[in-house]
Amino acid sequence: MTVMQTEENASGTGICAAPPRRHPRPDGQDRYTISEVVAFTGLTAHTLRWYERIGLMSHIDRSHTGQRRYSNRDLDWLDFVTKLRLTGMPVADMVRYAELVREGETTYAERQALLESTRRDVLSRIAELHDTLAVLDRKISFYATER
């Protein structure tokens, strides 16, 4: 299984599938140039090449002229990676997760542990942001009543 392949859970839906995409993809199309992927994802071409170089993306197919050709599975994986980046997960952990996916089903427990650790970090940051928001709300309220 490649990193870009989506595993399915019991309901038949992809467990690595991202929520609805921000940029619709053309119906029936499954090959995209790097510039199209840049437009779909908002990532830079440099970032896409770097992801491939560090092992965050598996081998990307190439055209007969050597141009990268991304598939819908690649775009789904990039959606997921983008979500992981938003969590603050370190790149090294993201690469490790990708390696585990490539190793197959025997790594489910390790993948779960990695995601649970990231989830705990996200919840901690959310709590900090709620506290910060409360402080801001108190200050805003103070200034609103003092005028």
Side-chain angles (χ1 to χ4, degrees):
M1 173 177 293
T2 67
V3 171
M4 278 59 75
Q5 288 176 318
T6 302
E7 300 170 42
E8 293 191 359
N9 60 17
S11 68
T13 59
I15 61 174
C16 289
R21 295 177 280 281
R22 293 179 304 181
H23 305 284
R25 300 174 194 163
D27 286 337
Q29 185 172 338
D30 192 34
R31 290 289 175 248
Y32 307 94
T33 64
I34 198 166
S35 60
E36 290 172 318
V37 174
V38 164
F40 291 148
T41 65
L43 298 169
T44 66
H46 174 78
T47 298
L48 293 170
R49 288 186 208 100
W50 181 64
Y51 281 0
E52 190 177 354
R53 196 168 48 251
I54 65 172
L56 193 51
M57 301 275 309
S58 284
H59 172 76
I60 303 299
D61 286 339
R62 303 277 182 147
S63 70
H64 68 281
T65 60
Q67 287 184 313
R68 287 173 175 83
R69 291 287 185 235
Y70 294 84
S71 69
N72 284 318
R73 288 179 187 245
D74 297 329
L75 294 179
D76 290 343
W77 177 256
L78 286 169
D79 285 341
F80 181 66
V81 166
T82 299
K83 297 296 184 236
L84 292 180
R85 288 291 292 153
L86 289 173
T87 69
M89 179 185 271
V91 173
D93 287 349
M94 292 169 43
V95 170
R96 178 65 185 141
Y97 184 87
E99 290 168 349
L100 293 170
V101 170
R102 283 190 289 269
E103 290 175 24
E105 293 179 8
T106 60
T107 64
Y108 278 4
E110 194 172 346
R111 285 189 253 172
Q112 179 181 356
L114 188 56
L115 293 175
E116 286 174 347
S117 173
T118 300
R119 185 177 190 280
R120 284 190 298 275
D121 293 343
V122 168
L123 288 172
S124 176
R125 286 198 350 255
I126 288 171
E128 290 171 354
L129 287 172
H130 277 290
D131 290 345
T132 302
L133 185 60
V135 169
L136 290 173
D137 287 344
R138 284 194 301 276
K139 283 295 189 182
I140 291 168
S141 178
F142 170 79
Y143 291 124
T145 59
E146 291 297 315
R147 280 197 253 159

